[in-house]
Amino acid sequence: MKAWSSTVSALLWICSLTGAASAAGVSDCPSDERATYVCNVRNAEDLVAIRDSAWVIAGRLTDPPTQGGLYLIDASSGAASPVAPDFKGPKASIYSECPGAPGKDEFAAHGIAIRYGAGSKHELYAVNHNGRESIEIFDLDMSARRPALIWKGCVLVPPAVMPNSVAPVPSGGFVVTSFGIRSDAQTYQKAMAGGISGFVAKWAPGAGWSEVAGTQFSANNGVAVSEDGKRLFVTGWGDRKLHVISLGEIPYTHQAVELGALHPDNIRATPDGRLLIAGQAATPAEIFACTSLPTCEVGFKVLAVDPRSLSVEPLLDESGSRAFGGASAAIMVGNEIWVGTFSGSRIARYRLRE
C-alpha cells in the first residue's frame, strides 16, 4: 500500500526512511506479547517465501540510496540483510525496448512476485518507482548457498498506469494493478471515497500492453493469478472487496467478495492453495495520515480466502502499536504468519494456533 506521484518517481506519502547496513536478527528488537520480529527491514511492503527453501524476499520501498532495493531473510534464523542484485548482466531480447538497467541505489521494489521454473532457476518480477515507473525482471538462481538475483530486463509501464502489484501469467508476460490513473488529478480522492480509480494492465511478449476487461475497481491493489491462468484475483483497497475475474472468456465473469472493515492490500497464495490477504483496519484518512510517522500505527487484519468457495477465514485481527502496524502483506512460513508493512522497520511473525 503506497501511492506514487503522477509526475515524478518519488514517494507521495513521505516517511522517515532509514536502511539496514548489515544483517539483523530477531534479537535486535525483542518479541512482545503480540509477536516476534525481523528487525531493521525498512518498508517491507511485500513478501515472498521462496518455494522449497528457507529464504524470504522482501521489497524495500524507500527513496535512494536503496542498497539494491530488496531484503533477503533467512527464515530459519530471522537474519535479514539488503540484497543487491547483479545489474551488469545482459538484457534479454524479450525486453529489447528496456532502456537499460537501473542503478543499484536507485531501484526499490514495491510489489514482487516469482515465476517458478525448472529446478533452481526462476524469475523475480518487481514494481519499481525510483527513476522510472517500470517492472524490473531478474533471474533468481537458487543453486548456491544464498539466492542470487541477476537483472535481465525491464518493461516501462504506460503513462496512465500507477503500478502497485505484479503477478506472472502462465502463458507468458504478467499483470499489474494500477491503484489509480497517473494523469487523473482526482485519482486519490476517488480511491479514498471508494470510487472507481484503477484497473489491471497486462503485458505480453510481442503484444505489449492492454487493459484487462472488467477490472475497473476502486484502488486496485493486490493481484494473483490462478495456476491454470483462468482466474484473476484483485483486491480493491477503496471498495474493501476481493474481485474475481475470468481471463480469456468473452464475456468475462466477475464475482465480488466483501471483506468487511478492511482496506485489503497484497495477496499471496499459501502452500495449501488459499489466498492470504493483509490490509489496514482504519479509515482512509487515518491510513494516509500514519505514513508521516516512522511506523504506521493503525490496526490490521489478515484473512484467508478459499479460491474456489470464496469463503473467508479471519486469521489475525491486531491493533497497531509503536512496534508495528499498517500491514500490507502476509505469507505463511512454516507454522507462522509473517506480516510486512508499507511504513515501518519490522516484519512481524505470529505463530499459528495449534
Side-chain angles (χ1 to χ4, degrees), residues 13 31-33 41 65 89 94 146 154 173 178 200 232 249 255 286 291 296 332 340-341 354:
W13 305 342
S31 60
D32 55 33
E33 69 278 5
V41 282
I94 191 176
R146 287 172 59 89
C154 74
S178 185
V200 176
L232 184 69
E249 290 185 353
Q255 295 173 279
E286 289 170 334
T291 58
C296 180
M332 290 287 193
T341 177
E354 298 296 337

Side-chain angles (χ1 to χ4, degrees), residues 17 32 34 44 99 175 215 330:
L17 302 177
D32 55 33
R34 300 169 66 230
V175 290
T215 62

Side-chain angles (χ1 to χ4, degrees), residues 8-348:
V8 295
S9 299
L11 287 171
L12 181 67
W13 305 342
I14 304 299
C15 300
S16 173
L17 302 177
T18 59
S22 59
V26 174
S27 61
D28 294 319
C29 47
S31 60
D32 55 33
E33 69 278 5
R34 300 169 66 230
T36 58
Y37 300 99
V38 176
C39 311
N40 298 330
V41 282
R42 189 69 209 170
N43 298 355
E45 197 272 348
D46 202 2
L47 309 171
V48 176
I50 303 175
R51 185 184 299 170
D52 299 325
S53 81
W55 296 99
V56 170
I57 295 179
R60 181 187 175 127
L61 191 54
T62 67
D63 282 335
T66 62
Q67 294 181 290
L70 293 158
Y71 291 104
L72 188 62
I73 305 159
D74 183 343
S76 62
S77 66
S81 59
V83 56
D86 179 358
F87 287 104
K88 298 179 181 179
K91 180 172 60 179
S93 59
I94 191 176
Y95 307 116
S96 60
E97 296 184 8
C98 174
K104 70 177 181 66
D105 284 330
E106 295 175 356
F107 165 70
H110 187 174
I112 55 178
I114 294 175
R115 183 193 299 278
Y116 290 97
S120 60
K121 309 295 183 181
H122 315 299
E123 287 182 324
L124 178 77
Y125 297 79
V127 174
N128 174 57
H129 306 284
N130 285 346
R132 61 193 183 199
E133 298 291 331
S134 61
I135 309 301
E136 305 291 335
I137 302 94
F138 303 84
D139 281 325
L140 172 59
D141 188 346
M142 299 294 295
S143 61
R145 187 179 64 87
R146 287 172 59 89
L149 288 165
I150 303 94
W151 182 87
K152 66 186 300 183
C154 74
V155 178
L156 304 184
V157 304
V161 173
M162 186 181 291
N164 192 296
S165 297
V166 61
V169 295
S171 58
F174 49 82
V175 290
V176 178
T177 53
S178 185
F179 188 89
I181 307 297
R182 279 194 282 162
S183 55
D184 182 357
Q186 300 299 312
T187 199
Y188 293 115
Q189 288 81 353
K190 293 175 182 177
M192 291 182 72
I196 292 175
S197 66
F199 61 97
V200 176
K202 179 182 179 181
W203 183 85
W209 287 102
S210 62
E211 181 176 332
V212 179
T215 62
Q216 293 187 0
F217 306 128
S218 181
N220 298 46
N221 201 315
V223 66
V225 179
S226 62
E227 288 191 7
D228 61 8
K230 294 182 178 180
R231 290 193 300 167
L232 184 69
F233 301 90
V234 180
T235 53
W237 184 89
D239 61 23
R240 298 181 297 183
K241 297 177 182 178
L242 172 66
H243 298 274
V244 187
I245 309 97
S246 61
L247 290 175
E249 290 185 353
I250 302 175
Y252 63 85
T253 61
H254 170 242
Q255 295 173 279
V257 181
E258 298 280 353
L259 298 178
L262 175 73
H263 289 280
D265 212 303
N266 289 308
I267 307 172
R268 193 64 64 199
T270 66
D272 64 4
R274 292 184 297 168
L275 303 175
L276 279 192
I277 299 175
Q280 305 90 45
T283 68
E286 289 170 334
I287 297 166
F288 271 65
C290 85
T291 58
S292 63
L293 302 173
T295 298
C296 180
E297 298 181 15
V298 303
F300 59 92
K301 299 182 181 183
V302 176
L303 309 175
V305 179
D306 185 307
R308 297 191 178 278
S309 68
L310 300 183
S311 61
V312 179
E313 178 187 0
L315 297 182
L316 289 176
D317 187 348
E318 297 286 334
S319 58
S321 69
R322 287 188 174 184
F324 187 86
S328 56
I331 57 173
M332 290 287 193
V333 180
N335 63 347
E336 295 181 331
I337 301 175
W338 287 30
V339 185
T341 177
F342 63 91
S343 182
S345 59
R346 303 183 184 191
I347 295 168

